[in-house]
Amino acid sequence: MVQATKRLYQVASRLAISPSSLAHFPPREALQLPANAKPRSFDPTLWASLQPPPKAALSAFAHRIGLGAILPSDAPLQQACIHPSFLPLHDKHYPAAETPKTNAQLAQMGNTLMGLFASEYLHASYPHLPLRVLKAAVSAHVGPATCASVAQEMGAAPLLRWHRQAATPTRPAVMHTDALSSIPRALTALVYTHRSLPAARKFVHAYFLSRDADLRALIKFANPKKALMETVAKFGREKPRSRLLKETGRYSMSPVFVVGIYSGADQLGEGFGSSLRMAEYRAAEDALHRVYLTRTPTHLLALPSSTFSASGDIYSGDDIEFTPGTLGEAEVRYASSGRGEAPTLRASVVV
């Protein structure tokens, strides 16, 4: 009996359930039953997951993320922390109790807003970014894994109420990362509904778009030399040519070659390798990265959503000045997806 109660206290404290906030603790299911009673198994982890988080924990969480003065009560924040997978578990153990509200609609609205803010920010920051890379960059900034990581940093994991579900023919499995990622999305929707769209945009920029993502690793080419030739032709520049800049150990076991790619007198990229073919391949990749990762300076960055007023009326006549950014050139489709078979080109390094 003592060991069971001690374990119950440990599980409750780990899940942010304060025993002092509960009317009856320990619960009757955890107490020792008479000898003639029918034995019942008690799972302290399951019991603790069914308990609502204390109001003090919700209030501390709201003030920690800056929503304490925005939300009128703890009810919206508690709803944002309840995943739809929790309802079957709650109805099974508490059939007579009122069904709690989940964050299903809030997470859907927040996901749409986050996708909008991330798409316009990345497109304005990198106007020449290929479409497939832009989609991957949006997922890297506001995708499920990032949302779950941000929720962990916010301290929302102990407040989450969810239940693991296996995959079925009609729906995918529900894992902890999936449930946890719904909280930041629901919080974005709460800021939007209780404040305005500019406030929601500031919230997303502060927690998500202020992070750096390695976009260079997302750009892969099946044949970067062919893609570079089409890119240079698209901009009306001279045909690129490779030149050997440096070399060492040509006749040794570990040679190193440094190759530069030029369009006229301008150097487009530079790469190294243990062979001329490898160095030329990397030089072409470097040249393409310099084009696609060209970033708009911060003081010239213009976002379309910045024209929305705080009142939410886009026709209020606030005379907000907005200069749209220059649209990037159409991306080169050939050899940029990694799926098509590009012809093998012979190394043509000018020594």
Side-chain angles (χ1 to χ4, degrees), residues 52-63:
K55 293 185 177 180
L58 291 174
S59 179
F61 176 66
H63 286 81

Side-chain angles (χ1 to χ4, degrees), residues 223 225-226 228-229 239-244 259-262 275-281 283-284 344-351:
N223 194 322
K225 187 175 179 180
K226 179 64 175 178
L228 179 61
M229 293 176 60
K239 184 178 179 180
R241 294 183 179 277
S242 302
R243 300 177 185 174
L244 181 63
V259 173
I261 291 186
Y262 291 79
S275 65
L276 294 175
R277 187 186 298 273
M278 181 185 298
E280 190 178 20
Y281 183 96
T344 304
L345 301 182
R346 301 178 59 182
S348 57
V349 180
V350 179
V351 182

